[in-house]
Amino acid sequence: MQIQDLGEQLLNGDRRSLARAITLVESQRADHRTQADALLEHVSQVGRQAFRIGLSGAPGVGKSTFIEAFGMILIGQGLRVAVLAVDPSSARSGGSILGDKTRMNRLGRAPQAFIRPSPSQTHLGGVARRTREAVSLCEAAGFDVVLIETVGVGQSETVVTEMSDLFLLLLAPAGGDELQGVKRGIMEIADIVLVNKADGDLKSAATCTQADYASALRLFRKRAQDPADFPKAMAVSAMEDTGLAEAWKEMQTLIAWRRKNGHWAARRAAQARHWFEEELRHALLARLAEPRMQTRITELGGQVAKGQHSPTAAAAALLRDLDAGKAVQRS
Amino acid sequence: MQIQDLGEQLLNGDRRSLARAITLVESQRADHRTQADALLEHVSQVGRQAFRIGLSGAPGVGKSTFIEAFGMILIGQGLRVAVLAVDPSSARSGGSILGDKTRMNRLGRAPQAFIRPSPSQTHLGGVARRTREAVSLCEAAGFDVVLIETVGVGQSETVVTEMSDLFLLLLAPAGGDELQGVKRGIMEIADIVLVNKADGDLKSAATCTQADYASALRLFRKRAQDPADFPKAMAVSAMEDTGLAEAWKEMQTLIAWRRKNGHWAARRAAQARHWFEEELRHALLARLAEPRMQTRITELGGQVAKGQHSPTAAAAALLRDLDAGKAVQRS
């Protein structure tokens, strides 16, 4: 299929074309990359914007159950929902946190939903760049809400924040002393902390945990761009479907506020700049991965290892080779 | 002074020239960098090699007292000792962990010693590259032992390991349950764990802590390149000067073994390659910092923020500008 046609069908909201487009941006082949760039440039002109929600939660907090129940609420309100994942570990495990769609039975079957597992790449940077592009494709395909989930492993939350409008942290009920288990950095980026499993035997524990986090969040500096009662902590039950509609209402309140005060647009603009600079650094460093350069790096690296050159002098020599190569390509 | 002269005096072991040479490599000025590169290339030809010891310890474990006492033992054995620091936080605090030489009174006054605080740069990467060069200068100046200290803040230990032959972790006595306070990654790179303050009231606590760490170290995988009883934990008192000579003996045993079995040379070669690749990445990315490029980045970044280009397309356009600029420079 022509890229032009794929783009048109994608803009018509066709889910199969969306899936194919994402496969294209995830490909490592150079010709696919050229096509992907053309596609992205084409659809970015349309300017559709979804509500991008980042979601983090450690294994066991009920993330799949939450996404399923929350997604069904959104669909019930007539919205189309896409779910993407940023999971740097997927390359290692061979699987992916969203690989098993059967864990999201109802949502997986709904025509208003689109679920996509994490691309399998070794580096978080690569996963992040491709997921950021997948988010753009979902927006272009007319999805109203894009949920970007990640598992709580340090850097990945920061990366997800750089592509979302709002960040949710999902937790399980726990003793107050387990508060410290959540990294300070993650608490700082969370807009809403949701304590899941507020049902059955765990209901009172969930309420306690929610209160603990509400206190903890008050200790963080108030953010100038948010209403006074944010960030906030809420108790929900994804299993019993309680608190989810209220949580969605809070998310809408927060985003409406940010939109009204210009913070939403400023954040999107800053994110776009961030990804531009990331792409720039990546593309520049990719030049060192060219076979001709790799040969020279091995050669010069060996001489440096033998003490024949200082690392700095060898680096300068290699960059001269790189420039000479570019000059030859251009002439 | 001519760089040639500075180099000669440095090779003669002149401490003032060494200090000037380090100031030169730490400078951010482009002309200084050119001189520094020439100096490093010149002295690297001599091929002198010191015993490079990395040392990490959190504030309060008695690092300065240890360096002072340990350094005096080395001097007592007729060795010349240089002390350098890698402290990424020094840029923020304005000071440096080794800034106060008065904390190392005797060592600071000894003509066989050279003490240099951490260069003040914002990024750990910059501090590391300059300290790595300072180590080379100390070697060229004929120092027998170069101690590279850092404070326990995550990444900096890894960076120090990349420029040392052996890594010491200095700890204070503590309850066994505090074992977890030391990050697993740091335990994995430590060759010898020294529990300091094994004196007075803390003596028995230090012995307990030493035993705890000895057990913990046995849980880590044995390293093929080391004698069977390494890594090891020892109790020392920098204040009462006990255990230090024994610790030095153990360090010599370990290094002699590694030298004999070729591991020492392999590690140095791998480190040289590592720094070559670091310099390469840094030098390539530095091209984006040129004023002409910064102007274009701001310009294109603004267009990306407005949605006029995708981040990827804008990055490609900027790299074309960069190449065109290089072509003009070359023609």
Side-chain angles (χ1 to χ4, degrees):
Chain A
M1 197 196 297
Q2 296 294 312
I3 285 301
Q4 190 90 22
D5 296 341
L6 184 62
E8 290 314 312
Q9 290 182 26
L10 175 77
L11 292 172
N12 284 335
D14 179 50
R15 289 192 300 174
R16 191 171 294 182
S17 301
L18 174 59
R20 289 187 56 187
I22 295 179
T23 302
L24 189 66
V25 300
E26 286 175 1
S27 171
Q28 314 247 17
R29 272 174 51 183
D31 57 332
H32 287 172
R33 189 65 242 169
T34 310
Q35 294 182 316
D37 287 345
L39 180 67
L40 287 162
E41 188 75 359
H42 177 58
V43 302
S44 76
Q45 307 299 326
V46 179
R48 282 185 191 148
Q49 285 161 336
F51 186 170
R52 305 174 179 176
I53 304 174
L55 169 70
S56 172
V61 301
K63 211 150 25 122
S64 303
T65 318
F66 172 82
I67 294 173
E68 162 108 333
F70 182 62
M72 291 311 288
I73 285 182
L74 299 178
I75 287 176
Q77 298 187 4
L79 301 170
R80 295 179 74 213
V81 186
V83 185
L84 304 172
V86 171
D87 176 19
S89 66
S90 65
R92 256 171 294 154
S93 66
S96 118
I97 40 175
L98 277 176
D100 192 1
K101 277 198 199 180
T102 55
R103 287 184 301 147
M104 299 182 208
N105 225 332
R106 289 181 297 158
L107 197 64
R109 276 184 283 126
Q112 304 93 326
F114 176 82
I115 299 179
R116 178 81 179 193
S118 181
S120 57
Q121 296 205 19
T122 322
H123 298 294
L124 177 58
V127 173
R129 289 202 318 282
R130 300 297 81 91
T131 305
R132 193 260 312 163
E133 292 174 342
V135 170
S136 298
L137 294 173
C138 291
E139 288 192 317
F143 283 86
D144 303 290
V145 177
V146 181
L147 256 174
I148 309 140
E149 74 145 310
T150 190
V151 72
V153 287
Q155 279 303 94
S156 66
E157 277 85 2
T158 316
V159 152
V160 170
T161 316
E162 284 292 353
M163 57 180 94
S164 53
D165 302 318
L166 177 154
F167 198 83
L168 300 180
L169 174 61
L170 198 66
L171 296 171
D177 54 337
E178 290 191 35
L179 195 66
Q180 307 210 348
V182 177
K183 292 196 193 72
R184 191 184 162 92
I186 297 177
M187 286 290 281
E188 274 169 354
I189 59 177
D191 295 301
I192 302 177
V193 171
L194 295 174
V195 183
N196 192 22
K197 305 192 181 177
D199 47 50
D201 290 349
L202 289 172
K203 192 161 187 173
S204 70
T207 314
C208 285
T209 304
Q210 180 265 326
D212 286 344
Y213 276 90
S215 312
L217 287 170
R218 274 192 289 274
L219 296 178
F220 289 98
R221 196 150 28 131
K222 185 109 347 262
R223 301 168 193 168
Q225 77 270 30
D226 288 340
D229 55 340
F230 283 91
K232 61 172 60 184
M234 305 175 74
V236 301
S237 165
M239 212 172 68
E240 297 189 346
D241 225 339
T242 53
L244 300 181
E246 290 77 3
W248 171 229
K249 216 165 196 168
E250 293 293 345
M251 294 177 219
Q252 290 174 292
T253 302
L254 181 58
I255 289 302
W257 169 288
R258 286 186 183 166
R259 274 185 182 275
K260 197 181 125 201
N261 294 283
H263 302 307
W264 181 89
R267 179 169 170 154
R268 283 268 173 131
Q271 287 175 343
R273 274 194 205 92
H274 167 84
W275 290 110
F276 163 53
E277 292 179 14
E278 278 289 299
E279 291 290 346
L280 195 52
R281 277 190 289 269
H282 176 79
L284 193 53
L285 290 177
R287 295 183 166 183
L288 298 177
E290 293 164 12
R292 192 177 56 90
M293 280 298 118
Q294 283 294 305
T295 308
R296 278 296 279 152
I297 288 173
T298 307
E299 200 175 291
L300 275 165
Q303 293 170 7
V304 169
K306 283 186 204 132
Q308 293 168 355
H309 298 292
S310 73
T312 322
L318 196 121
L319 290 192
R320 281 193 297 272
D321 290 354
L322 184 66
D323 291 339
K326 287 283 156 206
V328 168
Q329 280 175 32
R330 293 174 56 86
S331 68
Chain B
M1 197 196 295
Q2 296 293 313
I3 285 302
Q4 191 90 22
D5 296 341
L6 184 62
E8 289 315 311
Q9 290 182 26
L10 175 76
L11 292 172
N12 285 335
D14 179 50
R15 289 192 299 174
R16 191 172 294 182
S17 301
L18 174 59
R20 289 187 55 186
I22 295 179
T23 302
L24 189 66
V25 301
E26 286 175 1
S27 171
Q28 314 248 17
R29 272 175 50 184
D31 57 332
H32 286 172
R33 189 64 242 168
T34 310
Q35 294 181 315
D37 287 345
L39 180 67
L40 287 162
E41 189 75 359
H42 177 59
V43 302
S44 76
Q45 307 299 326
V46 180
R48 281 186 190 147
Q49 286 161 336
F51 186 170
R52 305 174 179 176
I53 304 174
L55 169 70
S56 172
V61 302
K63 211 150 24 125
S64 303
T65 318
F66 172 81
I67 294 173
E68 161 109 333
F70 182 61
M72 291 310 289
I73 285 183
L74 299 178
I75 287 177
Q77 298 187 4
L79 301 169
R80 295 179 73 214
V81 186
V83 184
L84 304 172
V86 171
D87 175 18
S89 66
S90 64
R92 256 172 294 155
S93 68
S96 118
I97 40 175
L98 276 177
D100 192 1
K101 277 198 199 180
T102 55
R103 288 184 301 146
M104 300 182 206
N105 227 332
R106 288 182 297 159
L107 197 64
R109 276 183 284 125
Q112 303 94 326
F114 176 83
I115 299 180
R116 179 83 180 192
S118 181
S120 56
Q121 295 204 19
T122 323
H123 298 294
L124 177 57
V127 174
R129 290 200 320 280
R130 300 297 81 91
T131 305
R132 193 260 312 162
E133 292 175 342
V135 170
S136 298
L137 294 173
C138 290
E139 287 192 317
F143 283 86
D144 303 289
V145 176
V146 182
L147 256 174
I148 310 140
E149 75 144 308
T150 190
V151 72
V153 287
Q155 280 302 94
S156 65
E157 277 85 1
T158 316
V159 151
V160 170
T161 316
E162 284 292 353
M163 57 180 94
S164 53
D165 301 318
L166 177 153
F167 198 82
L168 299 180
L169 174 61
L170 198 66
L171 296 170
D177 54 334
E178 290 191 36
L179 195 66
Q180 307 210 350
V182 176
K183 291 195 192 74
R184 190 184 162 91
I186 297 177
M187 286 290 280
E188 274 168 353
I189 59 177
D191 295 301
I192 302 178
V193 172
L194 295 174
V195 183
N196 192 21
K197 305 193 181 178
D199 47 51
D201 289 349
L202 289 172
K203 192 161 187 173
S204 69
T207 313
C208 285
T209 304
Q210 180 263 326
D212 286 345
Y213 276 90
S215 311
L217 287 170
R218 274 192 290 273
L219 296 178
F220 288 99
R221 195 150 31 130
K222 186 114 341 268
R223 302 170 193 166
Q225 76 271 29
D226 288 340
D229 55 340
F230 283 91
K232 60 171 61 184
M234 306 175 75
V236 301
S237 165
M239 212 172 70
E240 296 188 348
D241 226 338
T242 53
L244 300 181
E246 291 78 3
W248 171 229
K249 216 165 196 169
E250 293 292 346
M251 294 177 219
Q252 290 173 294
T253 302
L254 182 59
I255 288 302
W257 170 287
R258 286 186 182 166
R259 273 185 182 275
K260 197 181 126 202
N261 294 283
H263 302 306
W264 181 88
R267 179 169 171 154
R268 283 268 174 131
Q271 288 175 343
R273 275 196 205 91
H274 167 84
W275 290 110
F276 163 53
E277 292 180 14
E278 278 290 299
E279 291 291 345
L280 195 52
R281 278 189 288 271
H282 176 79
L284 193 53
L285 291 177
R287 295 183 168 184
L288 299 177
E290 293 165 10
R292 191 177 55 91
M293 281 297 119
Q294 283 294 305
T295 308
R296 278 295 280 152
I297 288 173
T298 307
E299 201 175 292
L300 276 165
Q303 293 170 5
V304 169
K306 282 186 204 133
Q308 294 168 356
H309 298 292
S310 74
T312 322
L318 196 119
L319 290 193
R320 279 192 298 272
D321 290 354
L322 184 65
D323 291 339
K326 287 283 156 207
V328 168
Q329 280 174 34
R330 292 174 56 86
S331 67

